[in-house]
Amino acid sequence: MSVQVQPAVSDQVIVYNKRRGTELALILFAQTFGFGGWIITNLNLHGDLPDNLIPVACIWFGMGIAAHLIVRLKLPYADPLILPSVFLLNGLGLAMIYRIDQIPDPIKTDSATQLLWTALGLGLFALVVFLLRDHRRLQRYPYLLFIAGLVLLLLPLAPFIGHASGGAQIWIRVFGFSFQPAEVAKILLAIAFAAYFYEKREVLALAGRRFMGLELPRARDLGPIAVMFVLSILVMVFQNDLGTSLLFFGLFTVMIYIATERIAWPILAGAGFVGAAFAAFFFTNHVARRVNAWLDPFSNYDANLQIISAQFGLAWGGLFGRGWGLGRPGLTPLAKSDMIAAALGEEIGILGLMAIVMVYGLLVARGFKTAVTSPDGFGKLLAAGLSFTFALQVFAIIGGVTRLLPLTGLTTPFMSQGGSSLVANWIIIGILMVISHHARRPQAATAAPQDVASNSEDQTAVIR
C-alpha cells in the first residue's frame, strides 16, 4: 500500500520563454489577412489598388506594432498567441465591413468608423495594461461590481434612454450616441462572480441533502443562483434578448461549477433555464419567432428573410467561397453585424469560416491555459470565466447563422460592426494578458505529491 506525501520545498524555478519576437512576427502575419482581403476586394470590384494604400497600411500595421511594444514593455511574460489571434479576427471583420460598404450607391464609410472603434479598443487595452499592475486588485469589490453590473444590464429598460432595435431592447441612447451596456456588464459580472465564488467556494461546496443521487446545495446557498435566474428571465422576457440571457446565465453557471466542482450546480441551473426557455416560448412572441425561424424558416419567408438569405449565401459560397468582393452578402439583412459570419462564409467559403472558428478555438484555449497556469484562485476563475464568454458567444452566433441553434442576436467577437462589443472585448483581452503575465512569470516549482510505500510499523500512536 502506498500513500501520497508532499515532498520538501522544491528549489527549482519554472521560467517560460517570453517569445516576444515570435509574437511580433505572428501579429504582422495575422494582420496581412485582413489587409490582403481589403486589397483583393478593391482589385475585384474596382480593378485597381486603393488610393489610400500606404496610409492605411501605416495605421493598421502601426496598431499591431504599438500593441506589441506595450506588451513587451509592461507584460513581457504574457501569452504570445493571444494578440495575433485577436488581430487576425479584427482585421477580417474590418475587411468584410469595408467590402459590404461598397455595395450601396453612394458607398458607406462604416469600415472607417469601425477602425476608429478598433483604435479606441486598443487605447483601453493599453490603459488596462498600464493601470492594472496586479489583477488581484479587482478582487476587493465583488458586491459593488455585482450591483454595477446588474444596473448596466437592466439599464435598457429605463424610460427615456432605453432604445429598441431589431426587436430587442438592449441599447441606451444618450446625446445621440447609442451604447450596449450589457457588453460592459459582462466584464463587471465576471469579475464579481470570480471574487465572490473564490471567497465563498468552501461554503458553496458544503454538501446538502442528497436527492435522486445528486448532492443538492443548501437552500440558503441558492440565493446567488436564484438572483441570476430571475435576472436572466427578466432579460429574456422584457428585453426580448435570448442571447444575452443565455450568455450571462451560462457564465454564472460555469464559474460556480469551476469554483465548487459540484455537478449539482450546472444540472440545477440547466434545468431551470430550459424550463424558463419553454415558458418564454409559449408566453412571449420573440422567442417563439426565433425558434420557428430555426426549425422551419420557409414557413414565413418575409419574417425569416435574414436566416434564409444567410443560408443561400453560405450555399452560394460553397466550400472555397466566391472570393473577396465577388459574392452578394448585401442581400442578407444586418450582414455587417449579426450576420457577418454568413457574409464571410459566402466570400471565403466554408473552409475559411471553419478556419475562423479554429482561431476562436485557439484564443479560448490560450485563455483556459492561462486559467490553469495562474497561481492564484481568483485569477484562475476570472480567466476561465472570460474565456468561456468568448466560447459561448461564438458557439451561439455561429450556431445560429448555420442553423445549429436558434439565432440569438449576439455579436461575433472582434468582427461584427459596433463599438460596444469591440471595445469591451479589447478590455477583456487586456485583463487576460495581465493574468497571463503573472501566470508565466518565473516562479518556484510546485512540488508534486509523491507515492511512497507506507510502513506497517508506523501505526497511529495513542498518546496518554
Side-chain angles (χ1 to χ4, degrees):
M1 181 179 179
S2 64
V3 295
Q4 285 193 330
V5 298
Q6 191 73 26
V9 177
S10 172
D11 57 354
Q12 296 180 342
V13 176
I14 298 176
V15 180
Y16 288 92
N17 289 326
K18 296 179 182 178
R19 299 190 185 282
R20 299 271 70 89
T22 304
E23 179 193 68
L24 177 59
L26 288 175
I27 287 175
L28 296 176
F29 178 67
Q31 287 182 299
T32 58
F33 284 86
F35 190 70
W38 175 63
I39 293 176
I40 296 172
T41 297
N42 274 280
L43 290 175
N44 285 336
L45 290 178
H46 309 300
D48 200 0
L49 292 172
D51 297 333
N52 52 354
L53 177 65
I54 301 301
V56 170
C58 292
I59 293 173
W60 177 237
F61 289 102
M63 286 181 176
I65 295 172
H68 164 76
L69 292 177
I70 291 170
V71 172
R72 180 181 283 271
L73 177 65
K74 303 299 294 186
L75 307 174
Y77 289 98
D79 191 301
L81 291 180
I82 292 179
L83 270 186
S85 303
V86 174
F87 271 106
L88 176 56
L89 297 168
N90 204 158
L92 288 175
L94 283 168
M96 180 47 66
I97 293 171
Y98 173 81
R99 185 268 172 274
I100 302 173
D101 277 347
Q102 309 304 305
I103 296 175
D105 187 17
I107 61 174
K108 294 187 175 181
T109 57
D110 291 338
S111 56
T113 305
Q114 190 71 4
L115 186 62
L116 287 176
W117 282 116
T118 302
L120 179 60
L122 273 171
L124 292 177
F125 165 82
L127 200 63
V128 170
V129 170
F130 277 101
L131 297 182
L132 187 62
R133 305 294 295 274
D134 189 343
H135 61 276
R136 287 170 294 186
R137 293 180 181 177
L138 301 173
Q139 190 179 346
R140 299 174 182 172
Y141 315 104
Y143 298 103
L144 187 62
L145 292 173
F146 185 68
I147 293 172
L150 292 185
V151 170
L152 283 174
L153 195 56
L154 299 177
L155 203 56
L157 297 177
F160 305 112
I161 60 173
H163 171 61
S165 177
Q169 187 158 354
I170 56 176
W171 297 86
I172 61 171
R173 178 172 288 173
V174 181
F175 301 117
F177 293 96
S178 296
F179 185 74
Q180 193 173 347
E183 294 292 342
V184 177
K186 74 180 178 185
I187 302 174
L188 299 181
L189 289 177
I191 297 171
F193 291 160
Y196 177 80
F197 293 146
Y198 179 64
E199 181 184 349
K200 303 289 185 181
R201 64 191 186 283
E202 294 180 356
V203 176
L204 292 170
L206 286 177
R209 293 184 178 180
R210 290 185 68 83
F211 178 73
M212 298 180 66
L214 293 177
E215 290 185 354
L216 299 179
R218 297 179 304 181
R220 60 184 177 183
D221 297 330
L222 288 173
I225 200 170
V227 171
M228 283 310 302
F229 180 75
V230 172
L231 189 64
S232 298
I233 299 301
L234 288 176
V235 171
M236 188 188 304
V237 173
F238 293 104
Q239 295 186 4
N240 287 330
D241 190 7
L242 179 62
T244 301
S245 175
L246 173 68
L247 183 65
F248 281 95
F249 201 70
L251 171 66
F252 174 84
T253 304
V254 165
M255 292 185 72
I256 196 171
Y257 172 67
I258 294 174
T260 62
E261 299 181 4
R262 292 189 62 186
I263 193 65
W265 285 108
I267 291 177
L268 282 175
F273 189 82
V274 170
F278 270 104
F281 174 78
F282 288 109
F283 297 108
T284 66
N285 295 326
H286 185 71
V287 175
R289 189 168 65 249
R290 293 281 189 179
V291 173
N292 179 65
W294 170 45
L295 297 176
D296 190 12
F298 290 96
S299 63
N300 189 338
Y301 187 87
D302 294 330
N304 303 327
L305 176 63
Q306 187 182 37
I307 189 65
I308 292 173
S309 301
Q311 302 301 298
F312 278 123
L314 289 173
W316 175 241
L319 200 57
F320 301 103
R322 309 305 302 179
W324 286 98
L326 301 179
R328 305 182 70 184
L331 296 178
T332 304
L334 301 177
K336 296 178 185 174
S337 53
D338 292 5
M339 288 295 178
I340 196 166
L344 284 162
E346 180 178 349
E347 299 220 330
I348 63 175
I350 295 298
L351 285 179
L353 185 59
M354 291 302 104
I356 291 173
V357 172
M358 290 180 66
V359 175
Y360 278 117
L362 175 63
L363 179 61
V364 172
R366 303 307 292 191
F368 278 120
K369 183 179 180 182
T370 298
V372 170
T373 55
S374 179
D376 65 287
F378 171 72
K380 287 180 184 294
L381 273 175
L382 184 56
L386 294 176
S387 303
F388 178 77
T389 59
F390 283 133
L392 182 59
Q393 198 166 341
V394 172
F395 174 71
I397 187 60
I398 301 289
V401 169
T402 56
R403 283 188 62 209
L404 178 65
L405 306 168
L407 195 60
T408 57
L410 289 172
T411 59
T412 309
F414 301 107
M415 302 182 78
S416 292
Q417 180 191 16
S420 309
S421 173
L422 185 60
V423 167
N425 287 328
W426 269 108
I427 293 174
I428 291 177
I429 292 300
I431 297 173
L432 276 178
M433 293 287 281
V434 171
I435 300 174
S436 172
H437 168 69
H438 285 272
R440 289 166 52 89
R441 284 190 308 180
Q443 52 193 294
T446 302
Q450 297 179 355
D451 290 334
V452 297
S454 65
N455 189 344
S456 59
E457 294 179 355
D458 294 340
Q459 302 293 335
T460 303
V462 178
I463 302 175
R464 299 178 182 280

